[in-house]
Amino acid sequence: MQRLRDVLRRITPRNGDETGPVRTDGGESADGSRASPDLRTDGGATVSGESAEATESETRSGGSFLSSDFVQSMPFWLPPFLLMGFFVYGAIGWNLVISLTDFEGLLLPEYKISQFDLEMYREAFSDPSFWTAAQNTLVLLVAFTGVCLVVGLLLAILVDQEIRFENTFRIIYLLPMSLSFVVTAKFWAWMYNPQIGMINVTLRQLGLDFLTLQWISNPDTKLAAVIFALIWQFSGYAMVVYLAGLRAIPTSHYEAAKVDGASTLKMYWRVILPQLRASTMSAAVVLMVFALKAFDFLYVMFGNNPGPAADILATLMFREAFGSNNWAYGSAIAIVLFAMALAVVAPYLYSEYRRGEL
């Protein structure tokens, strides 16, 4: 009897168990129903439904990956990504390789690692014209960016006072930025003309003949004339950036400063300007990049040789590569210019990443 109870206990399912009775003869169960395929007592291997579920889960995961936004958006972002990677970053890498050779444009460069060296960089750092161009580039970079930020901030504060025709003033200030460097250079070349230029003509009409100068021929004023023209073109951009920052500051901050008895100057210096730090950073980075890209302006105004007074790294690079066929030397100068641009952009991108803006 005890053995019979044990057999019945084995073939009877537990409460809540959805598994069918155990097969004892390889066919139907003791009560005539079909046994569950998961359990066998006839020596065969147990085939669990978990394997089928795992296989189905893998199939679903593969299908979900193919239907994800990342995969479905690849036809839109992958082609431009590959094109930019090849034509932009690939070209930068190739330029770096050429700068390590002695390529002069006559024969194909030899891409042998054993022949790569830093001779062109040593030649650049020992060349007085390179240091003169680098100095002019830094002066242009700092003066242009600093003055643009100051002028843009003052214009933004003026426009933010809810003056009449605000939109008209914003368009007027921002319009020069829509012009290309070529148009701006042609316009200011005429403005600086010593005989028919508007600047000297206006000074003569006012009886200030002693102030008329050879603005773009005099070495003492050549670089300053270039910087002034670029400030005229891009100060409107700084104004728009600062105006957006001013409009984002809550009015309660202005009211609190006035309640505390702060003057207008102290209110802007102690309360408003610290909150424009992000606007200043973004505008400064963009303006410095534009300063490094001023080749078009100088080339249209002066040709490929602006002279030592206004020569920058970009014009020196063009002159060495395309004028003297010193391709390796020109590539080395281009890499130095790229390093300067990277030194401007990289800290800004890192700070934005730390703030969670990227």
Side-chain angles (χ1 to χ4, degrees), residues 243-265:
L243 185 60
L246 289 172
R247 296 288 169 84
I249 298 176
T251 56
S252 58
H253 293 193
Y254 295 90
E255 296 172 355
K258 293 178 180 179
V259 169
D260 290 341
S263 62
T264 302
L265 182 60

Side-chain angles (χ1 to χ4, degrees), residues 94 97-98 101-105 107-112 115:
W94 188 28
V97 172
I98 291 178
T101 66
D102 56 354
F103 180 49
E104 295 182 352
L107 300 176
L108 293 177
E110 297 182 2
Y111 299 111
K112 296 181 180 179
Q115 297 184 358

Side-chain angles (χ1 to χ4, degrees), residues 99-342:
S99 69
L100 301 176
T101 66
D102 56 354
F103 180 49
E104 295 182 352
L106 298 177
L107 300 176
L108 293 177
E110 297 182 2
Y111 299 111
K112 296 181 180 179
I113 299 179
S114 59
Q115 297 184 358
F116 289 167
D117 54 40
L118 301 176
E119 179 63 29
M120 294 301 148
Y121 294 94
R122 287 192 290 267
E123 181 179 346
F125 293 146
S126 61
D127 186 2
S129 61
F130 171 84
W131 288 110
T132 300
Q135 180 181 354
N136 292 337
T137 302
L138 290 176
V139 171
L140 173 63
L141 184 74
V142 175
F144 162 72
T145 303
V147 177
C148 266
L149 292 176
V150 173
V151 174
L153 178 61
L154 295 177
L155 292 175
I157 293 175
L158 175 64
V159 175
D160 191 47
Q161 304 304 312
E162 297 181 355
I163 59 176
R164 295 183 61 185
F165 308 111
E166 173 187 337
N167 293 333
T168 303
F169 282 110
R170 289 169 58 182
I171 293 174
I172 292 174
Y173 292 141
L174 191 60
L175 184 61
M177 187 186 172
S178 63
L179 304 177
S180 66
F181 277 134
V182 175
V183 176
T184 305
K186 286 295 185 181
F187 172 74
W188 281 97
W190 172 77
M191 292 283 288
Y192 288 137
N193 188 285
Q195 282 77 36
I196 61 174
M198 180 175 290
I199 296 177
N200 282 353
V201 169
T202 303
L203 291 175
R204 293 191 190 99
Q205 292 294 330
L206 296 176
L208 302 175
D209 294 34
F210 64 96
L211 292 179
T212 58
L213 297 173
Q214 301 283 340
W215 298 102
I216 56 177
S217 301
N218 188 351
D220 296 332
T221 59
K222 182 179 292 187
L223 186 59
V226 171
I227 294 173
F228 182 83
L230 294 177
I231 291 171
W232 171 83
Q233 183 174 9
F234 289 101
S235 59
Y237 167 77
M239 178 206 69
V240 171
V241 174
Y242 276 125
L243 185 60
L246 289 172
R247 296 288 169 84
I249 298 176
T251 56
S252 58
H253 293 193
Y254 295 90
E255 296 172 355
K258 293 178 180 179
V259 169
D260 290 341
S263 62
T264 302
L265 182 60
K266 285 186 176 181
M267 178 182 67
Y268 277 98
W269 182 256
R270 299 287 181 86
V271 179
I272 306 304
L273 291 183
Q275 300 185 64
L276 296 176
R277 188 174 304 169
S279 300
T280 301
M281 286 289 295
S282 60
V285 169
V286 173
L287 291 173
M288 284 189 284
V289 171
F290 275 122
L292 295 174
K293 294 168 57 179
F295 167 79
D296 300 359
F297 184 91
L298 290 168
Y299 184 79
V300 172
M301 183 171 283
F302 303 109
N304 63 352
N305 191 3
D311 198 15
I312 62 175
L313 288 176
T315 54
L316 177 63
M317 172 199 67
F318 180 85
R319 189 166 61 252
E320 290 293 338
F322 295 95
S324 303
N325 288 330
N326 294 327
W327 295 96
Y329 186 51
S331 297
I333 298 174
I335 292 298
V336 173
L337 192 59
F338 173 73
M340 293 178 63
L342 196 62

